[in-house]
Amino acid sequence: MAMSQAGAPARPMRADARRNYGRLLAEARTAFAEHGTDASLEDIARRAEVGIGTLYRHFPTRHALMSAVFQEAVTSLITRSRELAESDRPCAALVEWLGAIVTHAGEYRGLAQALMSTCRDESSALARCNTPLREAGSALLTRAQSAGAVRRDVSIDDLMQLTNAIALAAEQSPDDPELATRLLKLTLRGLHPSPTGGESGPCGD
């Protein structure tokens, strides 16, 4: 069932409204891929052959449109987190999932910045992306901490911000395709408990 922006069940859309909604989503995906998440909403509406007012009726804000566009990727990431929750290597599972978050956030220019800026803003339409991802990641983090593989003072909010920051840094350095991987490995060095106070390798190595 379709949901309203407030989370309540929405009334079924008419056939023409459904067509407009689908065209807007398709054109937004293309525009975001080509021009980043700051692509012109007017151009998206024009390419979808609707007026800008129709776009805003379906998506009152840019973040609402972004949230709708990225729901498929979010669903995929949540599904993967559930699969990884069965792993007998909980820290490696967490690392793999964080890497998938970095990849997702880096797929569209501007997405990482938007996710960072709204990470703790439940009023933002992007909370539909951030909140379920945070819950999925928290379950993986808790398993890794319970196994003694990750420090207890590490929070999922910090990890989400770090992964988005890594994706943003990689976005700014397109000529260095390995940057995200290197930064993620450096970050993960701080996750593992080190009773001696020395450095330890990233869990999963």
Side-chain angles (χ1 to χ4, degrees):
M1 177 180 294
M3 303 295 287
S4 69
Q5 292 298 319
R11 287 179 295 182
M13 286 188 285
R14 302 190 314 267
D16 59 337
R18 286 197 303 273
R19 286 193 297 272
N20 289 340
Y21 183 91
R23 284 200 298 264
L24 285 165
L25 274 185
E27 294 299 340
R29 287 191 185 97
T30 299
F32 289 166
E34 293 177 351
H35 307 294
T37 57
D38 60 350
S40 167
L41 298 186
E42 288 78 6
D43 284 348
I44 290 172
R46 177 181 53 78
R47 291 166 61 170
E49 300 181 347
V50 301
I52 189 64
T54 297
L55 184 150
Y56 281 122
R57 279 196 295 274
H58 287 291
F59 308 105
T61 65
R62 180 179 295 274
H63 282 178
L65 178 57
M66 290 170 59
S67 179
V69 166
F70 302 133
Q71 280 306 302
E72 184 176 347
V74 170
T75 298
S76 177
L77 287 166
I78 292 172
T79 298
R80 184 58 182 147
S81 76
R82 291 169 180 161
E83 295 169 351
L84 289 169
E86 304 299 320
S87 172
D88 57 1
R89 301 176 63 209
C91 192
L94 174 63
V95 171
E96 179 179 333
W97 193 76
L98 291 175
I101 289 286
V102 171
T103 299
H104 162 62
E107 286 179 349
Y108 298 88
R109 189 175 70 254
L111 176 57
Q113 179 65 54
L115 291 174
M116 287 180 68
S117 67
T118 61
C119 184
R120 294 179 176 86
D121 183 4
E122 296 299 326
S123 67
S124 168
L126 279 178
R128 290 184 59 201
C129 296
N130 280 323
T131 301
L133 289 178
R134 190 165 62 242
E135 292 171 352
S138 181
L140 292 175
L141 173 60
T142 298
R143 287 189 75 240
Q145 289 171 324
S146 297
V150 173
R151 291 164 39 187
R152 289 286 183 177
D153 62 344
V154 174
S155 74
I156 191 58
D157 284 339
D158 287 346
L159 289 182
M160 296 294 287
Q161 287 288 65
L162 281 170
T163 52
N164 286 324
I166 289 170
L168 180 59
E171 176 185 305
Q172 301 300 317
S173 302
D175 57 340
D176 186 356
E178 300 301 319
L179 178 62
T181 299
R182 294 201 310 274
L183 291 177
L184 183 60
K185 286 183 177 180
L186 284 171
T187 298
L188 294 175
R189 292 183 187 279
L191 291 183
H192 193 76
S194 182
T196 63
E199 291 186 357
S200 56
C203 52
D205 278 3

